[in-house]
Amino acid sequence: MEGFPADFVWGTATAAYQIEGAVTEDGRGPSIWDTFSHTPGKIADGSTGDVADDHYHRYPEDIAIMSGLGMNAYRFSVAWPRIFPSGSGDLNQRGLDFYRRLAEACLEHGITPYATLYHWDLPQPLEDAGGWLNRDTAERFRDYAAATQRALGDVVSHWITLNEPWCSAFLGYATGVHAPGKTVGADAMRAAHHLLLAHGLATKAMREGPGGTLGITLNLTSVRAASDSAQDQEAARRMDGLSNRLFLDPLLLGRYPEDVLGNAGVTEWFEQMGDDLADIATPIDFMGVNYYSRHTFAGPEDAVFRGPTIIGPGGTGEIRDIDTGAPKTQMGWEVHPDGLIDVVRLVSDRAPSLPVYITENGAAYPDEVTAGGTVDDEDRRHFFELHLNAAREAIDQGLPLHGYFAWSLLDNFEWAFGYSRRFGIVYVDYESQRRIVKQSGHWFRDRLAGAKPGGES
Ligand code: FCB
């Protein structure tokens, strides 16, 4: 693509539960998202991922579409409950076979597979034993990651341990808007620690396996203070702490940010876990960053922080997320392309030469199929244009940005929003499972034409 290095990685991203369907096929066990989505009142439109995009059966068509768009990479996730239906114990060969078929089909089209090992679908039996609040889950993840990499290492060389541990910890165990829907308050910080430990143990174990290129994906937040006032600056510091430093510092610097633990009231427990930091900081080969929006924070109206500061039901309770008046997507997320540069810099400030990939970036807008059968998603196309300009600017500033994955290839099951939010560059008619490349997809194709050897234009 014009203005980008010739070896830049261009892909789309998806996640197993959001697209695969086939939830009882070939020995797959239940995950926390099956349980959660089947619980009345949890999903906005009452839907589930039972069928989703039927990608489990239609992956050849979907990979052919990616190839037609000129993409040279595909970030998908492996469903843990397909590999270990009860989380540990007996390995399910038919689950592995599916991801082998998928990876081989990618390679046949000149598309490099990037496999995420955990995109939120924890096997239900592990949740029944305490889920991410239980340290044992980290060890089970290590075993699953190592076994999967050993089995597929000849066809998959790029691995992402976790997707957005912030969401797993805080949306899963504090606000409860994501599976497993728990609201344990500041104890959710323990889930964050166990997730980071899971990443570290898995990375160490995978280093001893077939090797490959190993990383993790974080959802980093570009944070602004609403004003220069002390309480707004403090609000921004606390939110940068919970969203960014709580994850980046242990991973890249081998230490937890003391102020974040103190503000959450969990210093003592984390001190007892100090020995885990060496595992958590096991060197990685790249950092994946998901970027959607920038946030502007203000302190409590009465300027008194009563703490503990933790993302709980209704946010942090006292820190206010300010509407700056910028345009918003259908998610209500403000559009701020420059924040993409900020989040890459958050990584580079700590690990200057570590390659960074934007592993997700995209937007939900209401789409309609025209009488002529097209989907003219000009607002989404424009969103991508603005963010690719920012990505190019990051590279021009000397930041080590090596790739970009659009979220998402297909419209899909958007977690608690069900099918009511569409993020795809390809439209999915859920009744017929027909795919229609949207205008934004055609725009990528036109710009990527010629980027991939053998790529169609
Ligand atoms: C991210 C998730 C992804 C998708 C996008 C919109 O937080 O990783 O699965 O839902 O948001």
Side-chain angles (χ1 to χ4, degrees):
M1 191 180 285
E2 213 186 314
F4 285 87
D7 60 355
F8 200 75
V9 173
W10 291 105
T12 55
T14 63
Y17 190 70
Q18 295 182 274
I19 63 164
E20 284 179 0
V23 290
T24 55
E25 211 158 313
D26 290 338
R28 179 186 180 276
S31 81
I32 55 175
W33 271 96
D34 297 280
T35 308
F36 192 74
S37 66
H38 280 269
T39 306
K42 299 295 186 191
I43 309 299
D45 59 2
S47 64
T48 73
D50 287 1
V51 177
D53 293 337
D54 194 31
H55 180 74
Y56 194 77
H57 302 112
R58 293 169 196 265
Y59 71 90
E61 176 187 352
D62 295 336
I63 292 170
I65 293 173
M66 289 174 217
S67 178
L69 296 180
M71 299 289 175
N72 59 29
Y74 175 37
R75 175 179 177 235
F76 58 90
S77 82
V78 176
W80 187 345
R82 287 198 194 280
I83 311 301
F84 287 101
S86 33
S88 59
D90 290 336
L91 188 134
N92 176 33
Q93 186 59 43
R94 287 178 296 165
L96 283 171
D97 291 345
F98 168 67
Y99 293 105
R100 172 169 294 279
R101 292 195 296 278
L102 179 70
E104 283 176 351
C106 286
L107 295 171
E108 277 161 24
H109 283 92
I111 293 173
T112 304
Y114 282 65
T116 303
L117 286 159
Y118 186 68
H119 203 126
W120 305 353
D121 41 4
L122 187 71
Q124 183 62 42
L126 294 186
E127 179 56 37
D128 296 341
W132 289 111
L133 298 173
N134 180 356
R135 182 185 180 88
D136 192 52
T137 301
E139 290 172 25
R140 300 290 74 77
F141 178 74
R142 173 202 56 209
D143 297 346
Y144 148 65
T148 305
Q149 184 221 24
R150 262 198 306 279
L152 299 176
D154 59 326
V155 285
V156 179
S157 56
H158 292 73
W159 297 92
I160 294 170
T161 53
L162 307 178
N163 178 69
E164 303 189 352
W166 180 94
C167 291
S168 298
F170 295 123
L171 304 185
Y173 292 90
T175 70
V177 299
H178 277 187
K182 301 261 162 70
T183 49
V184 301
D187 276 354
M189 294 286 281
R190 299 184 187 200
H193 176 74
H194 293 145
L195 282 150
L196 286 165
L197 179 63
H199 155 81
L201 295 177
T203 305
K204 264 174 86 174
M206 291 163 82
R207 287 271 180 239
E208 288 158 17
T213 308
L214 312 180
I216 181 172
T217 280
L218 302 178
N219 52 318
L220 298 179
T221 304
S222 166
V223 171
R224 298 278 190 282
S227 79
D228 290 339
S229 73
Q231 69 265 28
D232 290 353
Q233 296 289 324
E234 174 66 8
R237 185 185 64 75
R238 290 186 187 217
M239 295 309 286
D240 173 53
L242 274 181
S243 321
N244 303 323
R245 291 184 285 121
L246 177 62
F247 298 92
L248 286 169
D249 289 3
L251 288 167
L252 300 179
L253 306 175
R255 59 168 192 256
Y256 275 114
E258 283 171 23
D259 62 310
V260 179
L261 306 185
N263 291 147
V266 295
T267 304
E268 214 177 303
W269 186 84
F270 272 73
E271 268 168 9
Q272 291 161 23
M273 301 298 131
D275 289 348
D276 293 339
L277 282 163
D279 287 329
I280 293 173
T282 301
I284 49 177
D285 302 312
F286 67 94
M287 178 65 75
V289 179
N290 293 350
Y291 177 72
Y292 288 93
S293 188
R294 194 176 94 186
H295 291 269
T296 301
F297 294 110
E301 310 245 4
D302 61 1
V304 181
F305 287 87
R306 292 182 176 80
T309 300
I310 171 85
I311 312 280
T316 65
E318 48 193 9
I319 294 172
R320 292 169 295 147
D321 196 337
I322 300 297
D323 185 336
T324 68
K328 295 190 185 72
T329 69
Q330 197 191 359
M331 298 297 279
W333 299 344
E334 292 190 356
V335 178
H336 288 288
D338 58 342
L340 184 145
I341 305 173
D342 297 343
V343 293
V344 177
R345 200 175 289 288
L346 285 172
V347 178
S348 299
D349 283 349
R350 292 166 175 80
S353 54
L354 186 67
V356 180
Y357 293 80
I358 297 295
T359 40
E360 288 179 27
N361 175 238
Y365 289 106
D367 292 316
E368 271 170 41
V369 183
T370 64
T374 60
V375 179
D376 303 332
D377 58 340
E378 170 54 24
D379 29 21
R380 186 177 293 102
R381 187 208 65 77
H382 186 57
F383 180 98
F384 283 124
E385 181 170 25
L386 294 174
H387 287 77
L388 289 191
N389 287 344
R392 196 169 36 221
E393 170 68 21
I395 295 168
D396 291 347
Q397 290 181 18
L399 292 166
L401 182 60
H402 290 245
Y404 176 96
F405 293 79
W407 183 271
S408 181
L409 174 70
L410 304 167
D411 293 336
N412 60 48
F413 177 79
E414 176 49 33
W415 309 114
F417 291 90
Y419 298 98
S420 68
R421 297 290 183 278
R422 293 178 177 270
F423 275 91
I425 60 173
V426 176
Y427 182 92
V428 176
D429 175 341
Y430 295 114
E431 291 296 314
S432 66
Q433 291 294 345
R434 183 164 163 236
R435 276 78 164 132
I436 302 170
V437 177
K438 300 180 191 176
Q439 185 197 337
S440 57
H442 290 300
W443 180 81
F444 268 105
R445 181 203 59 195
D446 292 346
R447 302 201 69 203
L448 288 170
K452 179 167 73 87
E456 296 165 35
S457 59

